[in-house]
Amino acid sequence: MKRAALTIWVLNLLMLSAVVGFWFQRLQGSSVPATHGDVPYYIQQIDEQIRTAKMYHGSPTRRWIALTFDDGPHPYHTPILLKTLRQLGVRATFFVVGKNVDRYPELVQQMVREGHEVENHTYHHLRLSQIPLGMVQEEIDAGAAAIWRATGHLPRFVRPPGGMTDHAVRLITRSDGYVMVLWTQDPADYERPDAETLKRRLFGSVRPGSIILLHEKVPVTVKVLPEFVREMRRQGYEFVTIEEMWKDMQRSVLQTARYERDGLPSPFFGGS
């Protein structure tokens, strides 16, 4: 597992080097220093996420939505959620808690079989910014090990419980080769709102590139999913996983770098 983690770390480093090199060349090649006004805001956001390995939304040029479910697996709620997603033909990303993975590995294996993405939500679901740094490393490593034992898959993405992070935690996750994933929309389904309230929160906040934070153990979430998915598809949205969103952003930056290198009109900047 350490060898796989090293491989991921090297790949992330290479990607980071390409991005930094692209922006350096862009600045060096200009007779006037580039300002933020030269670059569309959404490109700045994509670049920032890749450079910092901290993801909070996908490309706003894509009518894509990533549904993410935290805190599972759960022996009662997870099978119902998986059945609903299967009926809807939606693939989601599950940020699972390591201790729950060890208890119910068959549910995590089912997630993988059905085309979902399984990623790291630590082992004990502790608030990482509130514990010693040594424990932060242990929590992340133990969560990854549980997923590895259940699926043979080494997670690439990590979500800190409660979204609670700080500079030291981010350094640890990056040094481990992870991309930290937060969210664009939090409809607060953990508050157990009624169905109408949750629908209002969900429908009112979606935009292209949305990463939506949901939880496996909330029955009302499963209840409103079919209507939400149907409406979003009617509006032209597609449901994708976190990894698909991340790779799409990487391709956008690399494609822009190639256009700039070859002196071609850039599809992102409107010209070279």
Side-chain angles (χ1 to χ4, degrees), residues 120-144 158 160-161 166 168-169 172-173 176:
N120 194 349
H121 200 38
T122 75
Y123 193 84
H124 292 102
H125 201 263
L126 301 178
R127 299 305 197 247
L128 297 183
S129 60
Q130 299 178 354
I131 62 176
L133 292 182
M135 288 184 64
V136 171
Q137 187 75 66
E138 291 172 2
E139 277 292 306
I140 294 171
D141 289 349
V158 62
D166 56 25
V169 172
I172 289 174
T173 58
D176 279 355

Side-chain angles (χ1 to χ4, degrees), residues 15 42 46 105 157 170 182 193 203 211 213-215 227 254 261:
M15 184 65 211
Y42 76 89
I46 290 175
F157 301 91
R170 289 192 293 273
L182 298 177
F203 284 74
I211 298 173
L213 170 64
L214 297 167
H215 296 81
E227 183 178 350
L254 291 176
R261 179 198 64 198

Side-chain angles (χ1 to χ4, degrees), residues 10-75:
V10 170
L11 290 173
N12 282 342
L13 182 61
L14 290 172
M15 184 65 211
L16 177 60
S17 299
V19 171
V20 172
F22 160 57
W23 289 115
F24 179 76
Q25 289 177 3
R26 185 172 175 81
L27 289 171
Q28 290 293 102
S30 176
S31 58
V32 179
T35 65
H36 289 303
D38 296 327
V39 182
Y41 180 61
Y42 76 89
I43 292 292
Q44 296 176 37
Q45 289 181 318
I46 290 175
D47 174 58
E48 177 195 18
Q49 290 182 86
I50 293 176
R51 285 188 296 103
T52 61
K54 180 183 176 185
M55 183 182 185
Y56 45 89
H57 68 75
S59 171
T61 65
R62 300 277 195 187
R63 293 185 75 79
W64 283 3
I65 297 171
L67 293 179
T68 66
F69 295 92
D70 287 10
D71 300 352
H74 185 277

Side-chain angles (χ1 to χ4, degrees), residues 1-11 148 154 176:
M1 191 172 73
K2 288 184 178 179
R3 181 177 299 174
L6 178 60
T7 300
I8 291 176
W9 184 86
V10 170
L11 290 173
W148 178 268
L154 190 67
D176 279 355

